[in-house]
Amino acid sequence: MVYLDNNATTPLDPSVAEKMAEFLREHFGNPSSLYPIGRAVREIVNNARETIAKALGASRSEIFFTGSGTESDNFAMRGVLNANPEKKHIIISDIEHPAVLRTANYLETKGIEVSYVPVDQYGMIDLDFLSDAVTPQTALVSIMHANNELGTIQPIEEVSKISREQGVLVHTDAVQSFGKISVNVKDLDVDLLSISGHKIYGPKGIGALYIRKGTKISPLIYGGGQEREMRAGTENTIGIVGLGEAVRVMKERWNEDKKQVEKLADKLKKNIEGKIPKVKLNGHETKRIKGTLNYAFPGLEAEAVLLALATKEIYVSTGSACSEDSEEVSHVLSAIGLKPEIARSSIRMSLGRFNTEEDIDVVLRELPEIVENLRKISALDIDEY
Ligand code: PLP
């Protein structure tokens, strides 16, 4: 199998699996219990919190565990609005993940005004639009760090500068950047930041939200006093252990992983562009997560390419995993101005820690032939593009 869909989810790192199995076997205590078996788990949870905090440049008390990246995004947006009811305006970008986009759509139905920052043809946000849109009445600006479909990296430092001048809080969804590029809450100067376990070789169903000390925010889930009264519910201890270990391994392998993914992505990119006529990279040439390669193959339906690759056990994606079963054209590809037929011809390949040179060779052997054969039988005229 050649797995090139690491932006959808990543395989569990063996060391994470081992740590989780060991924890499952040895611990069952409730971290809120005051006797030793509870205290031991409390300490394990807090060690994971410390590891994550350090990796983000935060302090331990600023990290709150959640059930997913999606919950972290909901918590940030709805939590800030609930705590600041006098402010009825938020700003997001046109290419946010549905976790932010649909939350904003929901908030609109509750009387919140939402401004959508447009992006250029490379998926970079329009900072002038943002400057004009943000006012002291804005409750929150939420712009993703790296886009899941294109890999485009947004200038979050600039977003924070512009927002801070108006005294407005900033959230960034760093689910796709954490683990791939440096993510430091001090450098980015954000108030809130979301991460997710299963994008960094950790388990699914665990995420975290960084909340800068002193940020006015309400809980999303009420109940017991877990997570310092901010997120009720007995902690997902096994998920937390997995996330902590995933972050530890990430730091340990940082240079090695980065070098390897970049080397393989460069090879894949150079050869796709060299061997396949009329391919077009969607996204930014340089300000991009290197391992995310989204290409349009004019004249083809991406679904046909995906299925042909799948018969060879090569797994890629046609858009964000969450919209895979939808007939609609990706809102991200529309936002960068692609015609619907070009958007529908686009394939995303996302590389990760466990890809090898051999994987890339297999793709470069199969893909050009698949594209050529499908184009031969395509009713669409590629010379038109
Ligand atoms: N935000 C981005 C940018 C994502 O890519 C994803 C997952 O695809 C999410 C949020 C949602 O994370 P989770 O699957 O943990 O809910």
Side-chain angles (χ1 to χ4, degrees):
M1 167 175 94
V2 177
Y3 184 72
L4 291 185
D5 203 10
N6 287 278
N7 284 12
T9 198
T10 51
L12 208 61
D13 189 279
S15 159
V16 173
E18 187 48 46
K19 256 275 173 344
M20 290 173 74
E22 184 190 305
F23 176 83
L24 268 180
R25 277 193 301 267
E26 292 177 14
H27 297 278
F28 74 93
N30 187 324
S32 296
S33 300
L34 296 178
Y35 39 79
I37 58 166
R39 283 191 184 278
V41 175
R42 165 69 57 216
E43 194 181 327
I44 291 171
V45 165
N46 280 337
N47 286 344
R49 202 188 304 279
E50 177 79 29
T51 304
I52 296 159
K54 269 207 181 123
L56 291 171
S59 56
R60 198 169 89 179
S61 62
E62 294 174 314
I63 303 299
F64 295 83
F65 290 113
T66 65
S68 59
T70 300
E71 187 190 319
S72 298
D73 289 343
N74 270 263
F75 184 4
M77 296 168 74
R78 294 161 67 187
V80 164
L81 280 165
N82 286 338
N84 298 275
E86 70 292 353
K87 297 188 178 179
K88 303 224 174 287
H89 176 228
I90 61 166
I91 301 174
I92 68 166
S93 84
D94 267 346
I95 60 166
E96 294 301 313
H97 186 273
V100 167
L101 197 57
R102 299 229 173 114
T103 303
N105 297 158
Y106 161 76
L107 290 167
E108 279 179 315
T109 69
K110 298 286 166 198
I112 302 299
E113 189 201 336
V114 182
S115 300
Y116 297 85
V117 182
V119 295
D120 66 14
Q121 60 186 335
Y122 307 110
M124 294 295 282
I125 55 160
D126 181 340
L127 288 170
D128 291 335
F129 182 102
L130 176 68
S131 289
D132 291 344
V134 66
T135 79
Q137 291 319 303
T138 308
L140 183 71
V141 172
S142 177
I143 306 282
M144 72 201 314
H145 194 193
N147 183 264
N148 44 306
E149 292 188 46
L150 305 170
T152 303
I153 302 164
Q154 304 297 346
I156 299 300
E157 299 87 342
E158 292 292 312
V159 169
S160 299
K161 190 160 168 268
I162 291 165
S163 308
R164 213 158 289 296
E165 276 164 13
Q166 303 291 331
V168 175
L169 295 175
V170 178
H171 166 245
T172 191
D173 175 336
V175 167
Q176 289 292 348
S177 56
F178 188 52
K180 299 177 184 131
I181 55 171
S182 160
V183 176
N184 181 295
V185 294
K186 302 259 168 27
D187 295 345
L188 296 173
D189 196 19
V190 291
D191 302 287
L192 301 128
L193 181 143
S194 305
I195 62 167
S196 171
H198 73 104
K199 310 288 182 175
I200 57 164
Y201 314 94
K204 293 161 182 63
I206 183 75
L209 182 66
Y210 156 79
I211 306 176
R212 190 203 289 258
K213 191 167 185 272
T215 302
K216 225 172 133 193
I217 182 165
S218 300
L220 205 58
I221 298 174
Y222 293 89
Q226 291 89 353
E227 295 298 279
R228 288 141 287 144
E229 307 278 347
M230 290 305 288
R231 202 275 191 177
T234 300
E235 296 85 342
N236 172 9
T237 50
I238 182 69
I240 291 170
V241 166
L243 178 56
E245 178 65 5
V247 173
R248 191 197 65 74
V249 176
M250 169 207 294
K251 287 182 81 174
E252 189 180 86
R253 296 183 50 127
W254 185 261
N255 291 331
E256 188 189 337
D257 277 3
K258 208 166 144 62
K259 219 167 91 192
Q260 169 80 349
V261 167
E262 287 184 7
K263 186 179 109 191
L264 298 182
D266 278 348
K267 176 170 174 176
L268 185 59
K269 182 173 186 294
K270 209 175 287 159
N271 281 282
I272 285 180
E273 292 171 10
K275 287 186 179 176
I276 304 178
K278 301 219 172 190
V279 289
K280 186 192 163 292
L281 180 77
N282 299 322
H284 202 283
E285 194 60 46
T286 55
K287 290 179 182 140
R288 182 171 49 78
I289 300 288
K290 288 274 193 333
T292 302
L293 290 167
N294 190 319
Y295 279 106
F297 297 93
L300 297 182
E301 288 288 342
E303 228 109 286
V305 181
L306 179 143
L307 293 175
L309 285 169
T311 64
K312 310 279 181 190
E313 291 190 64
I314 300 170
Y315 301 123
V316 301
S317 152
T318 57
S320 67
C322 322
S323 59
E324 200 87 316
D325 58 357
S326 134
E327 282 288 291
E328 275 171 45
V329 166
S330 140
H331 70 285
V332 175
L333 299 182
S334 295
I336 62 168
L338 295 194
K339 289 188 199 157
E341 64 272 25
I342 296 294
R344 273 198 289 270
S345 81
S346 297
I347 291 275
R348 179 187 72 186
M349 287 165 274
S350 46
L351 282 66
R353 176 179 298 164
F354 300 112
N355 287 123
T356 61
E357 185 106 26
E358 198 193 337
D359 287 348
I360 303 306
D361 291 339
V362 170
V363 176
L364 292 173
R365 195 173 64 229
E366 302 294 345
L367 183 63
E369 197 181 315
I370 286 171
V371 170
E372 193 185 337
N373 289 339
L374 286 171
R375 273 182 174 157
K376 274 189 204 146
I377 56 166
S378 165
L380 305 164
D381 181 7
I382 87 159
D383 290 328
E384 213 184 282
Y385 304 107

